[in-house]
Coordinates of all heavy atoms in Angstrom, one line a residue:
A32 N 144.9 61.5 74.3 CA 144.0 62.3 73.6 C 144.5 62.5 72.2 O 143.7 62.5 71.2 CB 143.9 63.7 74.3
A33 N 145.8 62.7 72.0 CA 146.4 62.8 70.7 C 146.2 61.6 69.8 O 145.8 61.6 68.7 CB 147.9 63.1 70.7
A34 N 146.4 60.4 70.5 CA 146.2 59.1 69.7 C 144.8 58.9 69.3 O 144.5 58.5 68.2 CB 146.7 58.0 70.6
I35 N 143.8 59.2 70.2 CA 142.4 59.0 69.9 C 142.0 60.1 68.9 O 141.2 59.8 67.9 CB 141.6 59.1 71.2 CG1 141.8 57.9 72.1 CG2 140.1 59.3 70.8 CD1 141.2 58.0 73.4
G36 N 142.4 61.3 69.0 CA 142.0 62.4 68.2 C 142.8 62.5 66.9 O 142.5 63.3 66.0
G37 N 143.7 61.6 66.7 CA 144.5 61.6 65.4 C 145.6 62.6 65.5 O 146.1 63.0 64.5
G38 N 145.9 63.2 66.7 CA 147.0 64.2 66.8 C 148.4 63.6 66.6 O 148.5 62.4 66.4
Y39 N 149.3 64.4 66.5 CA 150.7 64.0 66.2 C 151.5 63.8 67.5 O 151.3 64.6 68.4 CB 151.4 65.0 65.3 CG 150.7 65.1 64.0 CD1 149.9 66.2 63.6 CD2 150.7 64.0 63.1 CE1 149.3 66.2 62.4 CE2 150.1 64.0 61.9 CZ 149.4 65.1 61.5 OH 148.7 65.2 60.3
N40 N 152.4 62.8 67.5 CA 153.2 62.6 68.7 C 154.6 63.2 68.6 O 155.3 63.3 69.6 CB 153.3 61.1 69.0 CG 152.0 60.5 69.5 OD1 151.4 61.1 70.4 ND2 151.5 59.4 69.0
I41 N 155.1 63.5 67.4 CA 156.4 64.1 67.2 C 156.3 65.0 66.1 O 155.7 64.8 65.1 CB 157.5 63.0 67.0 CG1 158.9 63.7 67.1 CG2 157.3 62.2 65.8 CD1 160.0 62.8 67.2
E42 N 156.9 66.2 66.3 CA 157.0 67.2 65.2 C 158.4 67.6 65.0 O 159.2 67.8 66.0 CB 156.2 68.5 65.7 CG 154.7 68.2 65.9 CD 154.0 69.3 66.6 OE1 154.6 70.3 67.0 OE2 152.8 69.2 66.8
F43 N 158.8 67.8 63.8 CA 160.2 68.2 63.4 C 160.2 69.6 62.9 O 159.3 70.0 62.1 CB 160.7 67.3 62.3 CG 160.8 65.8 62.7 CD1 160.1 64.8 62.2 CD2 161.7 65.5 63.7 CE1 160.2 63.5 62.6 CE2 161.9 64.2 64.2 CZ 161.1 63.2 63.6
Y44 N 161.2 70.4 63.3 CA 161.3 71.8 62.9 C 162.7 72.1 62.3 O 163.7 71.5 62.7 CB 161.1 72.7 64.1 CG 159.6 72.6 64.6 CD1 159.3 71.6 65.5 CD2 158.7 73.5 64.2 CE1 158.0 71.5 66.0 CE2 157.4 73.4 64.6 CZ 157.0 72.4 65.5 OH 155.7 72.3 66.0
D45 N 162.7 73.0 61.4 CA 163.9 73.4 60.7 C 164.7 74.4 61.5 O 165.9 74.6 61.2 CB 163.5 74.1 59.3 CG 164.6 74.3 58.4 OD1 165.7 73.7 58.6 OD2 164.5 75.2 57.6
T46 N 164.2 75.0 62.5 CA 164.9 76.0 63.3 C 164.9 75.7 64.7 O 164.1 74.8 65.2 CB 164.2 77.4 63.1 OG1 162.9 77.3 63.6 CG2 164.2 77.9 61.6
N47 N 165.7 76.4 65.5 CA 165.7 76.1 67.0 C 164.5 76.7 67.7 O 164.4 76.5 68.9 CB 167.0 76.7 67.5 CG 168.2 75.8 67.1 OD1 168.1 74.7 66.7 ND2 169.4 76.4 67.1
N48 N 163.7 77.6 67.0 CA 162.6 78.2 67.7 C 161.3 77.6 67.4 O 160.2 78.3 67.7 CB 162.7 79.7 67.4 CG 162.5 80.0 65.9 OD1 162.3 79.1 65.1 ND2 162.7 81.2 65.5
Y49 N 161.2 76.4 66.8 CA 160.0 75.7 66.6 C 159.0 76.4 65.7 O 157.8 76.3 65.9 CB 159.3 75.4 68.0 CG 160.3 74.7 69.0 CD1 160.8 75.5 70.0 CD2 160.6 73.4 68.9 CE1 161.7 75.0 70.9 CE2 161.5 72.9 69.8 CZ 162.1 73.6 70.8 OH 162.9 73.1 71.7
K50 N 159.4 77.2 64.8 CA 158.5 78.0 63.9 C 158.3 77.4 62.5 O 157.3 77.6 61.9 CB 159.0 79.4 63.8 CG 158.8 80.2 65.1 CD 159.0 81.6 65.0 CE 158.8 82.3 66.3 NZ 159.0 83.8 66.2
E51 N 159.3 76.7 62.0 CA 159.2 76.2 60.6 C 159.0 74.7 60.7 O 160.0 73.9 60.7 CB 160.5 76.5 59.8 CG 160.6 78.0 59.6 CD 161.9 78.4 58.9 OE1 162.3 77.7 57.9 OE2 162.5 79.4 59.3
L52 N 157.8 74.2 60.7 CA 157.4 72.8 60.8 C 157.8 72.1 59.5 O 157.4 72.5 58.4 CB 155.9 72.7 61.1 CG 155.4 71.3 61.3 CD1 156.0 70.6 62.5 CD2 153.9 71.3 61.3
L53 N 158.6 71.0 59.6 CA 158.9 70.2 58.5 C 158.0 69.0 58.3 O 157.8 68.5 57.2 CB 160.4 69.7 58.6 CG 161.4 70.8 58.6 CD1 162.8 70.2 58.9 CD2 161.5 71.4 57.2
G54 N 157.5 68.5 59.5 CA 156.7 67.3 59.4 C 156.2 66.8 60.8 O 156.8 67.2 61.8
S55 N 155.1 66.1 60.8 CA 154.5 65.6 62.0 C 154.2 64.1 61.8 O 153.7 63.8 60.8 CB 153.2 66.4 62.4 OG 153.5 67.7 62.5
F56 N 154.4 63.3 62.9 CA 154.1 61.9 62.7 C 153.4 61.4 64.0 O 153.6 61.9 65.1 CB 155.5 61.2 62.5 CG 156.1 61.6 61.2 CD1 157.0 62.6 61.2 CD2 155.9 60.9 60.1 CE1 157.7 63.0 60.1 CE2 156.5 61.3 58.9 CZ 157.4 62.4 58.9
N57 N 152.7 60.3 63.8 CA 152.0 59.7 64.9 C 152.1 58.2 64.8 O 151.8 57.5 63.8 CB 150.5 60.1 64.8 CG 149.7 59.6 66.0 OD1 150.2 59.4 67.0 ND2 148.4 59.6 65.8
N58 N 152.7 57.6 65.9 CA 152.7 56.1 66.1 C 153.5 55.3 65.1 O 153.2 54.2 64.8 CB 151.3 55.6 66.2 CG 150.6 56.1 67.4 OD1 151.2 56.3 68.4 ND2 149.3 56.3 67.3
S59 N 154.5 55.9 64.4 CA 155.3 55.1 63.5 C 156.6 55.9 63.3 O 156.9 56.9 64.0 CB 154.6 55.0 62.1 OG 154.5 56.2 61.5
G60 N 157.5 55.4 62.5 CA 158.7 56.0 62.2 C 159.0 56.0 60.7 O 158.1 55.5 59.9
K61 N 160.1 56.4 60.3 CA 160.5 56.4 58.8 C 161.9 56.0 58.7 O 162.8 56.6 59.4 CB 160.3 57.9 58.3 CG 158.9 58.4 58.2 CD 158.1 57.7 57.1 CE 156.7 58.3 57.1 NZ 155.8 57.6 56.2
P62 N 162.2 55.0 57.9 CA 163.6 54.6 57.7 C 164.4 55.6 56.9 O 165.6 55.7 57.0 CB 163.4 53.3 56.9 CG 162.1 53.4 56.2 CD 161.3 54.2 57.1
V63 N 163.7 56.4 56.1 CA 164.4 57.5 55.3 C 163.5 58.7 55.3 O 162.3 58.6 54.9 CB 164.6 57.0 53.8 CG1 165.3 58.1 53.1 CG2 165.5 55.8 53.8
L64 N 164.0 59.8 55.7 CA 163.2 61.1 55.7 C 163.4 61.9 54.4 O 164.5 62.0 53.9 CB 163.6 61.9 56.9 CG 163.2 61.5 58.2 CD1 163.8 62.4 59.3 CD2 161.6 61.6 58.3
I65 N 162.3 62.5 53.9 CA 162.4 63.3 52.8 C 163.2 64.6 53.1 O 164.0 65.1 52.4 CB 161.0 63.7 52.2 CG1 160.4 62.4 51.7 CG2 161.0 64.8 51.2 CD1 158.9 62.5 51.3
N66 N 162.9 65.1 54.3 CA 163.6 66.3 54.8 C 164.9 66.0 55.5 O 165.2 66.5 56.5 CB 162.7 67.1 55.8 CG 161.6 67.8 55.0 OD1 161.8 68.3 53.9 ND2 160.4 67.8 55.6
N67 N 165.6 65.1 54.9 CA 166.9 64.6 55.4 C 167.8 65.8 55.7 O 168.0 66.7 54.9 CB 167.5 63.7 54.4 CG 168.7 62.9 54.8 OD1 168.9 62.8 56.0 ND2 169.5 62.5 53.9
D68 N 168.4 65.7 56.9 CA 169.5 66.7 57.3 C 169.0 68.1 57.4 O 169.8 69.0 57.1 CB 170.7 66.6 56.3 CG 171.3 65.2 56.3 OD1 171.1 64.4 57.3 OD2 172.1 64.9 55.4
K69 N 167.8 68.3 57.8 CA 167.3 69.7 57.9 C 166.7 69.9 59.3 O 166.4 71.1 59.7 CB 166.2 70.0 56.9 CG 166.6 70.0 55.5 CD 165.5 70.3 54.5 CE 166.0 70.4 53.1 NZ 164.9 70.7 52.2
I70 N 166.6 68.9 60.1 CA 165.9 69.1 61.4 C 166.8 69.6 62.5 O 167.9 69.1 62.7 CB 165.3 67.7 61.9 CG1 164.3 67.2 60.9 CG2 164.7 67.8 63.3 CD1 163.9 65.7 61.0

Side-chain angles (χ1 to χ4, degrees):
I35 291 171
Y39 297 109
N40 286 315
I41 188 166
E42 299 170 354
F43 296 115
Y44 293 87
D45 188 25
T46 61
N47 291 338
N48 60 8
Y49 311 100
K50 289 189 179 181
E51 295 178 39
L52 181 66
L53 294 172
S55 302
F56 299 89
N57 189 18
N58 295 324
S59 66
K61 295 284 182 191
V63 180
L64 284 173
I65 292 172
N66 288 320
N67 187 21
D68 298 341
K69 293 183 180 178
I70 299 166

